[in-house]
Amino acid sequence: MAHAASASGALPRGGRKDTPALAGPPPDVFDARTHRMARIAVPVLLALVYGYWAAANRRSGGPVTGWNLLFGFLTALVFAVVLYGVLTVAPRLRRELHALLWAVFVGVSFGFLYNQAGASMVRSVGIPLLVAAVTFIVFFYRFYTREDAVGHRVH
């Protein structure tokens, strides 16, 4: 079905004439304190889930042992440290390297979990490479459409 163009030539950002155009970025709902807490809490929670998942994959449904708990907490610690590093370094990079760093992080993280489930080495490398490639494409598109060539966010 064809629609007529607006008289002024361009519709507001909402796509309808009766919707006011939004100027600038969307409003921030949370205050600075909430953002500071989330900047620490979210990676810690992600690391704990990742460590539990790795430990569960490693024991393959067997009993939970002290070594299994130690493995899970050490995995969570390493994941958290690397995630903090990626969150610190990645925004300073150009969009290509920014997307590549996230793709490597996601690919290695997925590959480690996949390997702990007992998969062969070929599958533990091949499937994470595919996951990393898809991650790179998605993140590069996201950064390409939201950043300039130097890496500054465009609103």
Side-chain angles (χ1 to χ4, degrees):
M1 180 176 200
H3 296 283
S6 66
S8 65
L11 292 175
R13 192 169 177 187
R16 295 177 28 192
K17 285 185 179 182
D18 59 345
T19 304
L22 299 175
D28 194 4
V29 180
F30 301 110
D31 63 347
R33 180 176 172 265
T34 306
H35 282 286
R36 280 193 310 272
M37 288 180 5
R39 194 165 296 165
I40 294 172
V42 170
V44 168
L45 291 174
L46 285 174
L48 288 173
V49 168
Y50 186 85
Y52 171 76
W53 195 346
N57 282 352
R58 187 170 190 137
R59 67 183 169 89
S60 301
V64 177
T65 63
W67 292 114
N68 188 252
L69 287 173
L70 179 65
F71 175 77
F73 282 116
L74 287 178
T75 302
L77 178 67
V78 170
F79 183 86
V81 168
V82 174
L83 181 57
Y84 278 123
V86 170
L87 289 172
T88 303
V89 172
R92 298 177 185 159
L93 300 174
R94 295 185 59 185
R95 59 184 172 212
E96 297 86 3
L97 294 176
H98 193 171
L100 182 64
L101 182 62
W102 276 109
V104 168
F105 175 73
V106 169
V108 169
S109 299
F110 181 79
F112 181 74
L113 286 179
Y114 198 77
N115 189 333
Q116 294 306 310
S120 68
M121 189 55 67
V122 173
R123 290 184 67 147
S124 294
V125 171
I127 293 177
L129 277 176
L130 182 65
V131 168
V134 170
T135 303
F136 176 77
I137 291 168
V138 169
F139 276 52
F140 180 75
Y141 175 77
R142 182 184 184 280
F143 299 141
Y144 187 79
T145 57
R146 290 177 173 77
E147 294 179 353
D148 62 6
V150 181
H152 299 114
R153 290 185 180 166
V154 178
H155 292 289

